[in-house]
Amino acid sequence: DAGVTQSPTHLIKTRGQQVTLRCSPKSGHDTVSWYQQALGQGPQFIFQYYEEEERQRGNFPDRFSGHQFPNYSSELNVNALLLGDSALYLCASSLESGYNEQFFGPGTRLTVL
Amino acid sequence: GNSVTQMEGPVTLSEEAFLTINCTYTATGYPSLFWYVQYPGEGLQLLLKATKADDKGSNKGFEATYRKETTSFHLEKGSVQVSDSAVYFCASFMDTGRRALTFGSGTRLQVQP
């Protein structure tokens, strides 16, 4: 049973560029949440997707957007990258019925130069 | 709003020493509480959880008790091993409002042989 997978593992971009990160949830899970983890900090909630819609959102600007596909996989898009967007981006999946128990992927390390 | 506060690290212990990592929370209500562990270069793994007051979560020799009166969820282990070296995150989850995990800033544990 595959767990949560994310791609790519690492990514280097320059300021002003756009980036797309991808996540496949654990088999059977229908809800995907995205978190940003800056170096030395705890993860911060970005947003959550269920039934292909953004259901909850944290305190992140509109530059951060996402999408969920019919197979429950998800993308995180960040436009107009800033140096401060450099972080580990974590995807977590869960079942809507018990979605406080979240399973995390290994993350995508984004570096903005 | 909800918040989680953890003791600052790093915590450095010798193998077989007793471990305590303090965690307190603030919330409007009674959240579920979690400890996650992050090994170098990896995502987060759920270590244990407790969903109501006086519940004790336990796993792999670690345990934590949900104390409503002190709003705490301290992590303990009787005898640490070198393989326990990692970053530990305390987190809370409310089933109302934002419905997302709120993390502490993490505590790095270093166990020396």
Side-chain angles (χ1 to χ4, degrees):
Chain A
D1 176 26
V4 180
T5 59
Q6 293 185 242
S7 63
T9 306
H10 295 89
L11 205 50
I12 299 175
K13 293 286 188 178
T14 57
R15 281 178 296 177
Q17 286 190 308
Q18 178 265 343
V19 68
T20 297
L21 311 181
R22 296 176 176 82
C23 171
S24 291
K26 182 178 169 65
S27 178
H29 283 184
D30 56 10
T31 301
V32 173
S33 302
W34 287 92
Y35 293 81
Q36 180 196 66
Q37 186 181 12
L39 196 63
Q41 301 296 315
Q44 299 290 315
F45 175 69
I46 302 174
F47 43 54
Q48 183 181 85
Y49 277 85
Y50 172 68
E51 292 189 338
E52 303 179 47
E53 291 189 357
E54 182 183 293
R55 182 165 62 175
Q56 299 287 339
R57 189 177 183 93
N59 296 324
F60 280 80
D62 292 344
R63 297 187 298 110
F64 290 77
S65 63
H67 190 76
Q68 186 179 33
F69 299 93
N71 67 352
Y72 307 120
S73 67
S74 177
E75 289 183 348
L76 163 65
N77 300 292
V78 187
N79 294 323
L81 285 167
L82 303 174
L83 296 179
D85 295 331
S86 296
L88 180 68
Y89 288 85
L90 296 166
C91 169
S93 75
S94 55
L95 279 172
E96 198 279 340
S97 63
Y99 63 95
N100 55 347
E101 186 160 353
Q102 299 184 2
F103 292 79
F104 284 80
T108 294
R109 173 71 64 185
L110 172 65
T111 301
V112 182
L113 302 177
Chain B
N2 302 332
S3 67
V4 174
T5 302
Q6 291 181 235
M7 63 187 288
E8 298 246 348
V11 173
T12 302
L13 297 173
S14 298
E15 205 164 25
E16 299 184 3
F18 184 85
L19 168 72
T20 299
I21 300 178
N22 291 337
C23 171
T24 57
Y25 68 90
T26 60
T28 52
Y30 302 106
S32 296
L33 299 173
F34 305 83
W35 278 100
Y36 282 85
V37 58
Q38 188 173 38
Y39 297 101
E42 298 185 12
L44 300 176
Q45 298 177 24
L46 178 64
L47 183 58
L48 53 83
K49 68 174 183 177
T51 58
K52 61 183 187 297
D54 300 325
D55 268 2
K56 177 184 283 188
S58 61
N59 186 26
K60 300 180 182 179
F62 291 89
E63 59 182 33
T65 301
Y66 191 141
R67 301 289 188 197
K68 184 177 69 173
E69 61 276 10
T70 55
T71 63
S72 64
F73 193 56
H74 305 321
L75 182 68
E76 296 181 335
K77 186 176 186 182
S79 176
V80 294
Q81 305 300 312
V82 172
S83 58
D84 293 327
S85 298
V87 181
Y88 292 81
F89 293 93
C90 185
S92 69
F93 179 90
M94 286 295 296
D95 199 21
T96 56
R98 182 171 289 172
R99 295 171 123 176
L101 288 165
T102 298
F103 286 89
S105 58
T107 303
R108 180 175 300 279
L109 171 65
Q110 299 172 336
V111 180
Q112 298 175 336

